Amino acid sequence: MVTYLECVTDDGLVFKALADPTRRLLLDRLFERDGRTLGDLESGTEMTRFGVAKHLRLLEDAGLVVTRRSGREKLHYLNPVPIRQIHDRWLDKFTSGTASALLDLKAHLEEPS
């Protein structure tokens, strides 16, 4: 018999959060400029305020977004630490040598002439 854990690990929450293109878009927007309000993050998307809030909640649960109140506003900030932890655990051993050379070659081949 195999026993499965019913809880999702922290890595699992991060991977789940990063799996969705809308959440990656929200993280990209926070990477461009931190400290954005829900309304600011909602603008430029075709989602409702409720939809964006739902995505942000999942990002917060995964630790990828942290919030701070400033008066009446709730500001959202990118927290890159969970992504770095995944990088260090899963990707770091592949970033040197052959994998790095292949990525460089791929970038070179994809450059417009």
Side-chain angles (χ1 to χ4, degrees), residues 20-56:
D20 185 83
T22 301
R23 290 190 284 270
R24 291 192 306 267
L25 173 70
L26 292 171
L27 292 174
D28 286 340
R29 296 190 74 194
L30 289 173
F31 180 75
E32 291 168 3
R33 193 182 87 234
D34 250 351
R36 291 182 183 231
T37 63
L38 175 60
D40 188 24
L41 289 168
E42 175 194 2
S43 68
T45 67
E46 296 181 10
M47 296 183 62
T48 64
R49 185 175 183 86
F50 178 76
V52 173
K54 195 172 180 182
H55 282 292
L56 285 171

Side-chain angles (χ1 to χ4, degrees), residues 53-97:
K54 195 172 180 182
H55 282 292
L56 285 171
R57 195 169 321 115
L58 201 145
L59 290 168
E60 285 181 59
D61 291 345
L64 293 166
V65 170
V66 293
T67 60
R68 188 188 78 198
R69 288 235 175 245
S70 177
R72 293 170 43 156
E73 295 182 320
K74 183 178 181 182
L75 303 176
H76 299 83
Y77 295 89
L78 175 66
N79 178 20
V81 173
I83 295 171
R84 181 58 192 225
Q85 289 173 325
I86 286 176
H87 174 270
D88 291 348
R89 180 176 177 195
W90 295 99
L91 303 173
D92 200 32
K93 62 185 170 186
F94 300 110
T95 58
S96 62

